[in-house]
Structures are given as C-alpha cells and as structure tokens.
Amino acid sequence: MKFGSMLVLTTCILIPFFGQASSAQLPGVGASSMSIAAQTSKKAPQQLKVRNREQAIQLVKRQYQGKVLKAQSSRVNGHPGYRVKLISNEGVVFYVSVDAQTGSIRRN
C-alpha cells in the first residue's frame, strides 16, 4: 500500500514539470518575443550584383575567351559567388571566380 501512494505522489510532482517543456508555455516568454530575438540575430541580406549562375557566366565570357565547361555556386572571399571552369581556344583549362556581392572577377 505504501508503494502505491508513493507512485501517485511521484506522478503528481513530475507531470507539471514535463508539461512545460516548450518555451512558448513559459510564463513571460511569448512566441512574439521569441521571434523578435531570432530576427535581431540574423543579418539583413545584402543586395547582390550577380544574382544567378547565368549572369556570372555572361560576365566571365565578356572578359575571357573560351568555352564554359562548368559553373557552380561557391564561396569567394567569404561572400557568395560562382566558380566557372573554362577551356581556352588553345586548349588550356582554367577557373575564374566571380564574387556575387561585389561583382569582381578573378582568374585562379
């Protein structure tokens, strides 16, 4: 009989703690204050000068002669950008990096 009463007592004590696991149920912390904190920690997106892969290819073609073999998104100088693989008219394979934020182009 003592064991049964201990089980009821333990259950009554633990249920309130398990019921308040989410932050939305905490007193004084609403969903709106949580989303405001999340929004302030994110950086505002900056305007990119090169917005897609096709723009990056066009910029590279204006500056370098050859055929584009491959173009993929990449990080360039810590910024979003593109890495373009070309083959020159002489048969030399080379890469060009395009910084999407600044629009700068550099042969690697």
Side-chain angles (χ1 to χ4, degrees), residues 67-80:
K67 180 180 177 181
V68 174
L69 301 175
K70 184 177 181 180
Q72 64 186 33
S73 61
S74 177
R75 300 294 287 179
V76 178
N77 299 326
H79 302 142

Side-chain angles (χ1 to χ4, degrees), residues 3 6 10 25 29-30 35 37 40 62-64 72 82 92 94 98 100 102:
F3 179 72
M6 284 183 72
T10 306
Q25 294 176 349
V29 179
S35 62
T40 56
R62 283 186 210 152
Q63 192 165 346
Y64 296 99
Q72 64 186 33
Y82 299 91
V92 177
F94 62 99
V98 180
T102 63

Side-chain angles (χ1 to χ4, degrees), residues 2-61:
K2 283 186 176 182
F3 179 72
S5 61
M6 284 183 72
L7 182 62
V8 171
L9 181 63
T10 306
T11 305
C12 293
I13 293 172
L14 294 178
I15 288 174
F17 292 107
F18 288 121
Q20 294 184 357
S22 73
S23 62
Q25 294 176 349
L26 293 174
V29 179
S32 61
S33 62
M34 292 295 286
S35 62
I36 291 171
Q39 289 173 0
T40 56
S41 65
K42 293 180 183 178
K43 291 182 180 177
Q46 292 185 352
Q47 197 72 322
L48 299 177
K49 291 190 177 183
V50 181
R51 293 190 180 126
N52 55 44
R53 190 175 144 248
E54 288 74 24
Q55 276 186 327
I57 291 171
Q58 289 304 317
L59 286 173
V60 169
K61 281 182 164 183

